[in-house]
Amino acid sequence: MAIVYALWAFLLFVVYRVAIVVYNIWLHPLAKYPGPRFWAASRLPYAISLATGGLVHDTWRIHEKYGKVVRLAPNELSFVSKEAWHDIYGARGRGHQEFEKNPAWIRRAPNGAWSILDSPEDVHTRQRKIMNYAFSSAALKTQEPYVQRYTSLLIEKVREHGVLDVKDWYNFTTFDITGDLTFGKSFQCLEKGKYHRWVAYLFAHLKASCLLASITFYPSLMGILWLVMPKSAFNERLYHFKKACQWVHRRLGTQTTRNDFMSYISDNNKEMTMTMEEIEACSGTLVIAGSETSSTVLTSTTLNLLRQPDKLEKLTHEIRSSFEQESDIDGVTVKNLEYLNAVFQENFRFTPPVPCSIPRVVPPGGDTIDSQLYPGGTFVGLPQLPAYRSADHFAFPNHFIPERWLSPTSDLFKHTLSDPGFTKETFANDDKSVVQPFSVGPRQCIAQNLGQLEIRLILTRLLWNFDIEFASGDEGSSEEQKKPWTTQKTYGLWVKRPLKVRFVPVHESKHN
Ligand code: HEM
């Protein structure tokens, strides 16, 4: 008898699942949007793609095949138009609520507080008001010496070693900078030539956090996960958070004239607009958001330039002919390097540091995106890589061509050997405003000026001091390391391959 009941239960379950699949594919309010049937039928293909590091590539492939608005899961759509940037992430004013962050992706810090990256709208507005002080133009001026100091240390280390894996050494530099600005102490990654345990944890758990997000879609599996998860994983997370709290308290308890993130936050938080728990929760976010992104830009730019030596030569020439001496390279002068700016703009387009979409939810009652109405509760987002590689937006989308960002009347608007032929008209219809590496709206990157300062100063000073090439032979970059950037997996962020580079010191005569 028990077997008969079990069979009936199984049959009912199968019928129920089939009914859901039929509903999702043909009757769901999003049924009219294009995309692969499998993905429309259930959340499973999306979850597997996310958990195996392929979501950005799959999304890109799906957009290429099905168009500007595609369905990635029963209740999820992906957009690549510039209008979608504004409608999903922007502040739309009267009559529109914020598209809140997708709950599958956010969680409170271990102390129960929200960090700025995840906080609901009202908490976010309060936190952002205080944190904005740390990223004003006045604050930026006081932060430049930190960037310069750690860049000098990087250069010293490059001279010492000659060949370096820049993937690691750019990480060491940016984590040391943000660590110092947040906690009042460097992680000493550059000095010691290795990752601090606190920093290493972040990279080790990138994959785990995507696995967690993919399992969030299946609440029943969540319970099993907590049961099988080794205790050490919980302990490590706790160690990580406790350490950040200790450092915040030590920094805030120190009398000092330093101008760092914490001094701006505490000087402007006399009425405790931000609670101490929120400051603790935001401290880790500042280091993570502020380090990995900048170092990824530097690594991908280095790779893209090494893969097209004619572009590298053009940039190196600009840098070495623009300054009398290294000390002239500062936050103001680097802004004037026309080709450098074009290289970074093209790098943001070609290999965006945040390649995937940052998922949001259409508010209750529904709202429009690109003039179309979508039901409340729909998960939506704009993935940067597919948007920037679309032939609808750019001529030669899969070529790295910094010149597209220059005025056709510029002396630098000339093609080099590695380019497909182009004329003054070729890029006239490029939809440049679709490229928003720092996102848009009230939650756009709070520190984009600091990020820009870091990448410009570090690359400019390196190319002032060194000729660079792929390391080879025993020291070297294997063919694997010379592959296009987009052959790497993504777990929210890029899982970067090592990139071994040989740095050859430049003789004085090469300047000017
Ligand atoms: C080239 C470098 C950088 C890029 C491409 C970048 C990109 C981004 C993006 C796309 C967001 C939006 C995230 C979201 O909506 O969830 C963001 C937010 C944020 N970024 Fe950056 N970022 C960079 C550098 C930095 C630096 C240097 C810092 C600080 C030291 C920083 C701190 C933050 C913070 C705190 C947020 C959250 C802002 C909020 O929610 O109000 N970023 N960044």
Side-chain angles (χ1 to χ4, degrees):
M1 202 58 184
I3 292 187
V4 176
Y5 282 134
L7 276 174
W8 269 108
F10 179 69
L11 198 68
L12 278 176
F13 177 75
V14 171
V15 170
Y16 169 71
R17 295 304 313 176
V18 171
I20 289 182
V21 166
V22 169
Y23 171 80
N24 283 342
I25 297 180
W26 287 287
L27 305 169
H28 193 283
L30 303 183
K32 63 180 173 188
Y33 293 98
R37 281 268 163 86
F38 257 168
W39 291 57
S42 115
R43 170 66 69 175
L44 198 59
Y46 177 102
I48 292 173
S49 179
L50 172 64
T52 52
L55 185 59
V56 171
H57 304 83
D58 284 335
T59 311
W60 184 11
R61 185 177 46 76
I62 292 170
H63 273 292
E64 290 285 297
K65 181 160 180 199
Y66 295 95
K68 285 193 171 185
V69 184
V70 297
R71 194 173 176 205
L72 293 183
N75 65 339
E76 178 148 358
L77 296 175
S78 174
F79 298 77
V80 290
S81 68
K82 69 166 182 257
E83 292 77 13
W85 261 128
H86 172 256
D87 292 346
I88 298 174
Y89 302 95
R92 298 174 67 179
R94 231 170 239 259
H96 296 276
Q97 289 176 48
E98 183 177 280
F99 284 42
E100 290 262 7
K101 289 214 162 179
N102 185 326
W105 290 86
I106 58 174
R107 42 191 60 79
R108 289 173 189 264
N111 66 357
W114 287 110
S115 118
I116 186 167
L117 207 56
D118 293 341
S119 49
E121 189 177 3
D122 52 335
V123 179
H124 179 263
T125 310
R126 187 166 50 68
Q127 293 178 334
R128 180 109 182 182
K129 193 172 147 209
I130 299 299
M131 287 182 59
N132 270 335
Y133 287 104
F135 299 99
S136 63
S137 9
L140 188 68
K141 284 205 185 98
T142 65
Q143 288 153 3
E144 184 174 332
Y146 291 82
V147 181
Q148 293 279 21
R149 185 165 355 116
Y150 287 103
T151 308
S152 299
L153 189 51
L154 171 67
I155 289 170
E156 217 176 274
K157 294 291 174 181
V158 170
R159 279 193 202 288
E160 212 175 282
H161 293 274
V163 173
L164 292 174
D165 179 353
V166 293
K167 184 254 301 176
D168 288 335
W169 285 83
Y170 287 145
N171 274 335
F172 296 166
T173 313
T174 55
F175 274 96
D176 278 357
I177 294 170
T178 39
D180 200 345
L181 284 167
T182 307
F183 298 128
K185 77 184 267 303
S186 160
F187 289 112
Q188 294 186 309
C189 298
L190 276 171
E191 255 167 78
K192 297 186 174 163
K194 62 176 193 188
Y195 288 98
H196 186 285
R197 179 178 166 194
W198 195 91
V199 177
Y201 168 89
L202 299 171
F203 291 101
H205 288 74
L206 209 60
K207 204 167 167 179
S209 61
C210 273
L211 262 174
L212 202 62
S214 51
I215 287 177
T216 312
F217 295 112
Y218 297 93
S220 50
L221 290 182
M222 209 63 182
I224 301 174
L225 180 75
W226 292 136
L227 282 178
V228 298
M229 187 111 103
K231 212 163 168 246
S232 58
F234 288 104
N235 292 344
E236 193 63 13
R237 180 169 185 247
L238 225 54
Y239 153 82
H240 196 255
F241 189 71
K242 273 190 180 160
K243 261 283 167 250
C245 296
Q246 266 175 23
W247 292 332
V248 166
H249 287 278
R250 200 187 54 189
R251 164 63 194 84
L252 290 176
T254 309
Q255 288 289 342
T256 168
T257 52
R258 283 166 61 95
N259 287 309
D260 55 19
F261 297 156
M262 285 301 154
S263 66
Y264 284 101
I265 291 173
S266 64
D267 288 354
N268 293 288
N269 192 36
K270 300 279 185 247
E271 281 153 31
M272 295 308 283
T273 309
M274 264 178 98
T275 65
M276 183 47 76
E277 287 74 20
E278 286 172 346
I279 296 176
E280 289 170 356
C282 289
S283 65
T285 301
L286 278 171
V287 179
I288 300 157
S291 310
E292 209 284 337
T293 41
S294 305
S295 78
T296 296
V297 176
L298 287 163
T299 311
S300 57
T301 310
T302 305
L303 178 70
N304 290 329
L305 289 170
L306 286 171
R307 296 185 82 238
Q308 283 178 238
D310 46 356
K311 304 292 178 201
L312 174 62
E313 195 186 322
K314 193 165 169 178
L315 176 62
T316 308
H317 178 262
E318 176 180 64
I319 289 171
R320 295 197 190 145
S321 59
S322 298
F323 304 99
E324 289 284 317
Q325 59 221 345
E326 190 177 358
S327 57
D328 294 340
I329 303 172
D330 62 30
V332 176
T333 53
V334 280
K335 272 193 186 169
N336 303 329
L337 296 175
E338 195 185 350
Y339 197 64
L340 178 82
N341 289 331
V343 165
F344 278 128
Q345 281 293 84
E346 181 65 347
N347 200 71
F348 280 134
R349 184 196 73 80
F350 192 65
T351 44
V354 183
C356 49
S357 91
I358 300 167
R360 298 289 184 97
V361 187
V362 178
D367 207 339
T368 53
I369 300 171
D370 204 356
S371 311
Q372 293 285 317
L373 185 65
Y374 294 93
T378 307
F379 292 180
V380 291
L382 189 152
Q384 294 192 33
L385 185 72
Y388 303 169
R389 292 295 192 98
S390 162
D392 289 340
H393 295 144
F394 293 99
F396 300 118
N398 295 316
H399 288 259
F400 179 78
I401 312 174
E403 285 73 7
R404 76 171 79 237
W405 296 92
L406 300 172
S407 156
T409 57
S410 163
D411 288 344
L412 294 166
F413 191 87
K414 289 188 195 104
H415 54 77
T416 56
L417 221 62
S418 62
D419 289 323
F422 62 77
T423 67
K424 286 188 191 290
E425 283 76 42
T426 307
F427 307 118
N429 295 323
D430 276 6
D431 201 348
K432 298 201 173 89
S433 60
V434 82
V435 178
Q436 299 290 350
F438 298 97
S439 188
V440 303
R443 288 174 187 260
Q444 66 178 188
C445 182
I446 198 168
Q448 38 193 298
N449 292 333
L450 177 59
Q452 295 271 22
L453 176 80
E454 283 181 27
I455 57 176
R456 286 178 181 145
L457 274 183
I458 294 172
L459 189 66
T460 303
R461 288 190 55 198
L462 279 176
L463 292 181
W464 170 267
N465 282 291
F466 304 98
D467 286 331
I468 61 171
E469 59 197 33
F470 280 120
S472 56
D474 289 347
E475 310 166 319
S477 290
S478 66
E479 285 313 306
E480 178 70 8
Q481 290 157 359
K482 297 176 185 173
K483 278 186 178 170
W485 183 262
T486 49
T487 53
Q488 301 173 121
K489 288 190 173 190
T490 59
Y491 286 103
L493 302 166
W494 295 103
V495 181
K496 291 172 274 181
R497 275 191 292 265
L499 176 57
K500 290 265 187 80
V501 176
R502 164 176 288 285
F503 290 83
V504 182
V506 171
H507 192 266
E508 271 298 298
S509 62
K510 283 218 186 164
H511 295 131
N512 297 302

